[in-house]
Amino acid sequence: MAKVRVASFGVSLDGFGAGPDQSLQDPLGVRGFDIMEWFLATRVWRSMHGQEGGETGVDNRMAEQSFANVGAWILGRNMFGPVRGPWPDDQWKGWWGDEPPYHCDVFVLTHHPRASITMKGGTVFHFVTDGIEAALQKAREAAGGKDVRVGGGVATIQQYLRARLIDEMHVAIAPTLLGSGESLFAGLDLPSLGYKLTDHVATANATHLVFGTA
Amino acid sequence: MAKVRVASFGVSLDGFGAGPDQSLQDPLGVRGFDIMEWFLATRVWRSMHGQEGGETGVDNRMAEQSFANVGAWILGRNMFGPVRGPWPDDQWKGWWGDEPPYHCDVFVLTHHPRASITMKGGTVFHFVTDGIEAALQKAREAAGGKDVRVGGGVATIQQYLRARLIDEMHVAIAPTLLGSGESLFAGLDLPSLGYKLTDHVATANATHLVFGTA
């Protein structure tokens, strides 16, 4: 059965899924890319970007699974870009250049309506203003029986977890401290929401945790 | 050189060093012992309690190191017991029975004075009412050149970290969720305080993290 899932979501040892002060220079906040080092080192990621080599063990397998059978994505607005408030114009089209790595419909949660944007490679950004459940319904339809991946950031994932709409969440704890930023677990009582740890495996670069419904 | 250190301090995946609602029945809060399972399974711990067998790998080595060269301990009051406010009498002598596993001087932070208690096996509980720095000075003198171990709980460790008085902190992340309780990392900016990860190793039962001064 199709799942709603979070995958390959990087978190620091002190629990932050992004550093502070997101900006054009720091899409994941200051030093936020430190938590994705394990991912950027995998063969999957490198080959997606035309690079040779890369890690081919557990980290790569987890990265691979994160992309497998995904039919649609949901992103919080901050994961789509640094622009806040009403869209000033149609210039901002995500962090990822002309050909984003989604290759399917991507639903962006926002309070401010905007027309869909068709990118190269099959990615279409849609802007959803009527909430997380509406976005999920649209994503499910677009996914055509495949999984819906909730990309992040932290606030978006927390909203879906609180609504008990996530079936599976793979978090990768990176061996680094951020000190401040967006805390994934803060104020979130996962056991009370019905989640438990279902799998875990550690590598030199990350500790992979998989949470599922109990 | 003698160190001030935290060692074998268990934390859940969601960052809690103790569960909620500490009581006589739940010294580490509800389900708090789940985060110490790795430790209770080690040969070191079992042999301290007259039991055979136990884990003899990395977990055991970390448990062993946590006790090695310790000349004095510092405990927060809640780690000493569930009694709050002024001591009603001298009945409460810690969670550990007649012969506590310290075998040296133990300094308990409290706002309420009380006479020292000499236990079997060399443990003497002292009650310090003039703050964490005074407690550390007394512990250093008592340790006679050995390390001072700050046992916990979370509030005590956070105070010593904020004062930059901890030289080394070994935290063991257990593969379990607590959902709520005492959060070790909440509001604590370790990099800004001058700490960084200096070592990490994962086993099936725990991910061992060692933090040191940068």
Side-chain angles (χ1 to χ4, degrees):
Chain A
M1 219 186 91
K3 286 179 178 171
V4 179
R5 59 193 180 95
V6 172
S8 289
F9 192 76
V11 172
S12 68
L13 292 171
D14 41 0
F16 299 107
D21 304 323
Q22 185 195 42
S23 67
L24 208 53
Q25 288 69 42
D26 294 307
L28 279 173
V30 175
R31 293 197 303 111
F33 270 106
D34 289 3
I35 59 181
M36 295 309 287
E37 264 182 21
W38 70 272
F39 185 76
L40 305 177
T42 61
R43 185 160 71 180
V44 164
W45 181 254
R46 291 179 61 86
S47 75
M48 281 172 71
H49 292 78
Q51 294 171 298
E52 304 272 310
E55 196 267 355
T56 58
V58 169
D59 293 337
N60 193 58
R61 178 161 56 78
M62 297 306 282
E64 223 163 32
Q65 285 174 8
S66 76
F67 291 113
N69 197 43
V70 172
W73 285 68
I74 295 172
L75 306 183
R77 170 155 183 191
N78 296 0
M79 188 160 163
F80 178 69
V83 185
R84 303 288 183 267
W87 305 98
D89 52 46
D90 285 339
Q91 270 204 297
W92 183 262
K93 294 174 181 177
W95 305 99
W96 308 275
D98 291 342
E99 189 172 344
Y102 301 106
H103 311 292
C104 62
D105 288 299
V106 177
F107 296 86
V108 178
L109 300 163
T110 170
H111 294 292
H112 304 281
R114 183 173 165 183
S116 297
I117 318 172
T118 299
M119 308 293 289
K120 273 193 208 160
T123 298
V124 183
F125 292 116
H126 304 281
F127 300 87
V128 182
T129 55
D130 47 355
I132 63 166
E133 306 213 1
L136 181 54
Q137 199 185 321
K138 286 169 187 168
R140 274 201 170 113
E141 284 161 18
K146 289 186 174 183
D147 293 346
V148 172
R149 181 165 164 187
V150 177
V154 163
T156 298
I157 293 173
Q158 285 205 345
Q159 283 180 65
Y160 278 103
L161 286 169
R162 288 213 170 86
R164 304 177 195 224
L165 292 170
I166 303 288
D167 298 308
E168 187 182 287
M169 175 166 76
H170 161 224
V171 168
I173 312 285
T176 190
L177 290 165
L178 285 182
S180 62
E182 306 285 319
S183 175
L184 178 59
F185 295 115
L188 200 64
D189 187 336
L190 286 174
S192 292
L193 291 168
Y195 293 98
K196 62 171 185 183
L197 186 73
T198 56
D199 198 10
H200 63 109
V201 55
T203 72
N205 296 324
T207 298
H208 298 277
L209 308 174
V210 182
F211 301 95
T213 48
Chain B
M1 219 187 92
K3 285 181 179 172
V4 179
R5 58 192 180 95
V6 173
S8 289
F9 192 76
V11 171
S12 67
L13 293 171
D14 40 2
F16 299 107
D21 303 324
Q22 185 196 41
S23 67
L24 207 53
Q25 288 71 43
D26 294 307
L28 279 172
V30 175
R31 293 195 305 110
F33 271 106
D34 290 4
I35 60 182
M36 294 309 287
E37 264 182 21
W38 70 272
F39 185 75
L40 306 177
T42 60
R43 187 161 68 177
V44 165
W45 181 254
R46 292 179 61 86
S47 75
M48 282 172 68
H49 293 79
Q51 295 172 300
E52 303 272 310
E55 197 266 354
T56 58
V58 170
D59 292 338
N60 194 59
R61 179 163 53 81
M62 298 306 280
E64 223 161 32
Q65 284 174 6
S66 75
F67 291 112
N69 197 43
V70 172
W73 286 67
I74 295 171
L75 306 182
R77 172 158 181 186
N78 296 359
M79 187 160 164
F80 178 70
V83 184
R84 302 289 183 269
W87 304 99
D89 51 46
D90 285 340
Q91 269 204 298
W92 183 262
K93 295 175 181 177
W95 304 100
W96 308 276
D98 291 340
E99 189 172 343
Y102 301 106
H103 311 293
C104 62
D105 287 299
V106 177
F107 296 86
V108 178
L109 300 163
T110 169
H111 295 291
H112 304 281
R114 183 173 166 184
S116 297
I117 318 171
T118 300
M119 309 292 289
K120 272 193 209 162
T123 298
V124 182
F125 292 117
H126 304 280
F127 300 87
V128 182
T129 55
D130 46 355
I132 63 167
E133 306 213 2
L136 181 54
Q137 199 186 320
K138 286 169 186 169
R140 274 200 170 114
E141 285 161 19
K146 291 187 172 181
D147 293 346
V148 172
R149 181 165 164 187
V150 177
V154 164
T156 298
I157 292 173
Q158 285 204 344
Q159 284 180 66
Y160 278 103
L161 287 169
R162 287 211 172 87
R164 304 177 194 224
L165 292 170
I166 303 288
D167 298 307
E168 186 182 287
M169 174 167 78
H170 160 225
V171 169
I173 312 285
T176 190
L177 290 165
L178 284 181
S180 63
E182 305 286 319
S183 176
L184 179 61
F185 296 114
L188 200 64
D189 187 334
L190 286 174
S192 292
L193 290 169
Y195 293 97
K196 64 171 184 182
L197 186 71
T198 55
D199 198 11
H200 62 108
V201 55
T203 71
N205 295 325
T207 298
H208 299 276
L209 309 173
V210 182
F211 301 95
T213 48

